[in-house]
Amino acid sequence: MTEVLPPSQGLPTDKTQSDDYVFFHSGSTPTYRKVIKSTTQITTIPTIDITNIDSPDSSIRNALAQELYDACVSCGFFYLKGHGMTEELLAETFDVLKRFFALDFDSKMAAHVQKNPAIRGYEPMGETKMDPKTKQDFKESYTIGDCPLEPEQKYTEKTGKAPPQNLKRPQNIWPSSAPWYREGLYSYYNEVLPVSLKLVRLLALSLKLDEDKFLEDFFKFPITGMRALHYPPVPPEDKEKDELNIGLGAHADFSYLTLVLQTPTLDALEVLSPTGQWIQVPAIPNTLVCNVGQYLERQTNGKFLAAVHRVRNKTGDERYSLPFFLTMDPDAQVSVLVDEKENKKFEDFNVGDLYIKKVLPARAKHPTSIKYRDVPEEEWKYEFLLE
């Protein structure tokens, strides 16, 4: 496995401009990894078919759990087949994304991320930059997530409790001129969330635990995020210029699990292998691309890899994707799972406390970040996002 070097360990800042290293974001923490130069053929990421994930036969579920374990240990990425979402739903979801991003700029900016305390909403082209070797991330996006006040999410039905009293307004923001957008995104959200929770059951089983343990302990009403992404085509003359061709710079997801729906037949996603080589992740119709996030990496003491990945749209076409980010409940207290012969690499953690320490620095210009800039980090609370 390649060595990961935080800048605090003394790696010269000029390495950010070197092709020998990939610079990537790990939540809000910048990190470097040395990239191996090799012409050796790299195998593709594994495919897991979960058609029989609800089988009453425990041997079938255990076999799937082993497949998932192997994928999470070997590279942290896998294709997901047999998820149960219809081709019609996936096609309609892409139509909704295309229709939204085709709106005029002012209609989209009406739901700009800076108008929302929870740091959700629309981010136009050039508002983020993951890779210091590039001018900007060449994409626009729109983020929604968990919200106890929005009826589509059925908070009381799921938890048996009323929404938190300190939550006075919805955490999501929606474009007033496009009511169909909310309906369309929730049609997909309420199908992909149950799929992700089935994978959580499988993860517990893969770690030799009761398959409902994680769901009961950590996922009553989890933190979620869903980010609609539009990557415009790069002009032909700029296709080989990395500074113009990074749709989304290298990063590791600050989530538990990520499930990505990407435009069929348009290949742009790349994952950095544990040996430091970039692997193409072709778009396969009717599959999701899934990856381990940093919460799961921490919980498993680094057994499961939060893989580094990026997007480079060299196809010449419009590309759309819809990652769904699943994280644990914000009040969950998580113990790192350590074998008897293992050294503990990570500390036990509170999910919400860790989340806010990553989110605020990642959006330093957002009004919520500015509001709490002078508050010591040890006093930051997840509730900052609920005001």
Side-chain angles (χ1 to χ4, degrees):
M1 186 180 299
T2 53
E3 186 179 11
V4 175
L5 302 170
S8 60
Q9 293 187 4
L11 193 67
T13 55
D14 62 1
K15 293 296 186 186
T16 64
Q17 304 301 320
S18 171
D19 291 337
D20 293 331
Y21 291 85
V22 60
F23 172 102
F24 67 95
H25 274 269
S26 177
S28 60
T29 306
T31 309
Y32 302 87
R33 181 177 290 175
K34 188 173 178 61
V35 177
I36 295 172
K37 304 296 183 181
S38 173
T39 58
T40 303
Q41 182 67 35
I42 304 297
T43 57
T44 59
I45 67 172
T47 298
I48 302 174
D49 187 339
I50 62 166
T51 301
N52 295 318
I53 196 171
D54 295 319
S55 171
D57 187 338
S58 61
S59 65
I60 292 176
R61 302 198 307 277
N62 280 310
L64 286 174
Q66 186 62 53
E67 285 188 54
L68 181 58
Y69 183 92
D70 293 343
C72 291
V73 167
S74 63
C75 64
F77 255 80
F78 56 94
Y79 289 107
L80 192 69
K81 289 178 59 178
H83 46 68
M85 292 187 288
T86 66
E87 294 182 28
E88 181 181 18
L89 172 66
L90 303 187
E92 289 174 350
T93 301
F94 280 120
D95 288 343
V96 167
L97 300 189
K98 294 173 184 177
R99 186 178 175 190
F100 171 76
F101 286 115
L103 291 173
D104 64 87
F105 184 69
D106 289 343
S107 295
K108 292 182 287 190
M109 286 295 288
H112 188 266
V113 67
Q114 291 200 1
K115 298 179 180 181
N116 175 262
I119 316 183
R120 296 174 184 170
Y122 175 69
E123 289 184 295
M125 194 75 62
E127 198 149 306
T128 63
K129 176 182 175 178
M130 290 284 192
D131 191 327
K133 293 186 289 186
T134 67
K135 295 179 180 178
Q136 61 185 35
D137 289 332
F138 198 59
K139 52 86 177 164
E140 56 181 333
S141 66
Y142 196 103
T143 302
I144 68 166
D146 58 290
C147 178
L149 298 183
E150 294 195 332
E152 295 93 337
Q153 299 198 28
K154 301 179 181 179
Y155 177 84
T156 300
E157 179 181 322
K158 293 175 180 177
T159 66
K161 301 184 294 185
Q165 292 186 351
N166 61 323
L167 187 58
K168 304 301 182 184
R169 54 178 170 175
Q171 290 170 272
N172 294 318
I173 185 172
W174 298 95
S176 57
S177 62
W180 45 266
Y181 187 56
R182 174 171 178 164
E183 180 181 355
L185 284 191
Y186 265 123
S187 292
Y188 179 76
Y189 179 98
N190 284 323
E191 292 289 331
V192 73
L193 174 58
V195 174
S196 70
L197 295 177
K198 287 184 179 184
L199 289 178
V200 170
R201 288 176 54 224
L202 212 58
L203 284 167
L205 199 59
S206 79
L207 295 164
K208 311 305 180 185
L209 300 170
D210 183 278
E211 57 191 312
D212 291 321
K213 179 172 176 53
F214 290 167
L215 290 180
E216 293 172 353
D217 290 352
F218 306 128
F219 291 91
K220 296 179 180 66
F221 195 79
I223 298 172
T224 60
M226 195 164 77
R227 182 167 297 136
L229 290 156
H230 170 223
Y231 301 94
V234 175
E237 62 273 17
D238 293 332
K239 281 187 178 182
E240 301 306 320
K241 297 179 181 178
D242 280 348
E243 72 274 11
L244 296 173
N245 193 41
I246 299 294
L248 185 59
H251 64 285
D253 288 344
F254 192 66
S255 63
Y256 190 80
L257 276 175
T258 304
L259 294 77
V260 183
L261 177 67
Q262 54 176 345
T263 305
T265 72
L266 294 185
D267 302 341
L269 180 61
E270 300 174 349
V271 59
L272 190 66
S273 75
T275 55
Q277 295 159 310
W278 286 108
I279 301 172
Q280 292 287 334
V281 185
I284 300 176
N286 304 318
T287 66
L288 302 176
V289 177
C290 305
N291 62 273
V292 172
Q294 292 175 69
Y295 277 98
L296 182 53
E297 182 180 56
R298 285 171 181 256
Q299 185 191 24
T300 61
N301 200 38
K303 285 188 183 70
F304 293 175
L305 304 175
V308 177
H309 52 289
R310 67 185 181 187
V311 176
R312 298 199 301 165
N313 183 18
K314 295 184 178 182
T315 66
D317 292 319
E318 308 282 342
R319 182 181 185 271
Y320 301 87
S321 70
L322 189 58
F324 175 83
F325 306 100
L326 178 73
T327 302
M328 300 149 150
D329 298 330
D331 61 352
Q333 297 285 343
V334 183
S335 297
V336 175
L337 302 173
V338 183
D339 294 337
E340 291 181 1
K341 299 179 181 179
E342 241 183 310
N343 293 323
K344 194 172 182 179
K345 301 175 184 177
F346 298 96
E347 297 298 321
D348 299 345
F349 57 92
N350 173 275
V351 171
D353 288 351
L354 190 57
Y355 190 87
I356 196 68
K357 290 173 183 176
K358 291 287 187 176
V359 169
L360 290 190
R363 293 293 187 273
K365 296 180 181 179
H366 190 278
T368 300
S369 296
I370 294 171
K371 180 179 180 180
Y372 296 105
R373 182 171 292 167
D374 296 329
V375 176
E377 185 178 293
E378 60 269 18
E379 297 178 17
W380 290 2
K381 299 294 181 184
Y382 179 77
E383 286 71 21
F384 290 175
L385 301 174
L386 308 181
E387 298 176 357

